[in-house]
Structure formats: structure tokens, C-alpha cells
Amino acid sequence: MTAEDSIYQACVLRFRPILMTTMAALLGGVPMMLGTGVGSEIRQPLGYAIVGGLALSQILTLYTTPVVYIYLDRLQTWMFRGRKKQAVASQPGPRPAE
């Protein structure tokens, strides 16, 4: 399986659990962000930071992680291509039977 195919399969398989856990944490911060009452002016900035940070990290994670893995696979292929050629060239050919 190619790197792109395996990354696509992993994204399809892991999208729902990742989204569910992030949404649970994000929605847990919404009451803190929207809350009013005594002391809410102290807790609201924390709510904004939680909700905004989780939303931004979810978007960045879903888009950048597969791209990083594809580029690392291409880098590995490019780096080891020269080593494979050297290994094949340094091996002696088949010996004739005596």
C-alpha cells in the first residue's frame, strides 16, 4: 500500500474518535466561556482560550498531520534511494560454479 493510501485509510478510521474527544472537551469549555454571574469575568478568558485553542488545534491537526507524514515518507524515500543504489553496486556479482 502506498503512503498516500495508508494515510487516507488512517484518516478515515481515526477521524470520528478524534473529533468526538475534541468536541467533548470543547463543549465542556462553552459554559465557562458564556457564563455570567459572580466571578465570571475571571473565568471567561479561560473559556475563550480553551474553546479557541481546541478549535484551532483540531483544524490544524486534521490538515497538517497527514501532510507532514507524506512529506516525511517522501524525504525517507529520497534519502535512502542513494543508499540502495550504493548497496546494489557494492555487492559482487554471482560467482561461477567450480
Side-chain angles (χ1 to χ4, degrees), residues 48-68:
Y48 284 121
I50 291 171
V51 172
L54 284 170
L56 181 65
S57 70
Q58 180 70 27
I59 291 169
L60 288 176
T61 299
L62 289 176
Y63 288 110
T64 59
T65 303
V67 172
V68 168

Side-chain angles (χ1 to χ4, degrees), residues 5-94:
D5 291 337
S6 61
I7 290 170
Y8 176 76
Q9 289 297 324
C11 289
V12 169
L13 182 68
R14 296 297 303 158
F15 176 72
R16 184 174 175 221
I18 290 170
L19 189 63
M20 288 173 55
T21 55
T22 302
M23 282 298 156
L26 190 140
L27 292 174
V30 169
M32 190 183 304
M33 182 178 78
L34 300 177
T36 58
V38 179
S40 65
E41 64 273 358
I42 294 174
R43 291 186 297 273
Q44 275 186 343
L46 179 61
Y48 284 121
I50 291 171
V51 172
L54 284 170
L56 181 65
S57 70
Q58 180 70 27
I59 291 169
L60 288 176
T61 299
L62 289 176
Y63 288 110
T64 59
T65 303
V67 172
V68 168
Y69 279 119
I70 288 174
Y71 283 130
L72 286 175
D73 181 63
R74 289 180 184 170
L75 177 67
Q76 179 183 3
T77 304
W78 176 76
M79 287 178 65
F80 289 117
R81 186 179 332 141
R83 290 185 183 178
K84 287 181 183 176
K85 287 180 184 177
Q86 289 175 356
V88 170
S90 66
Q91 290 179 353

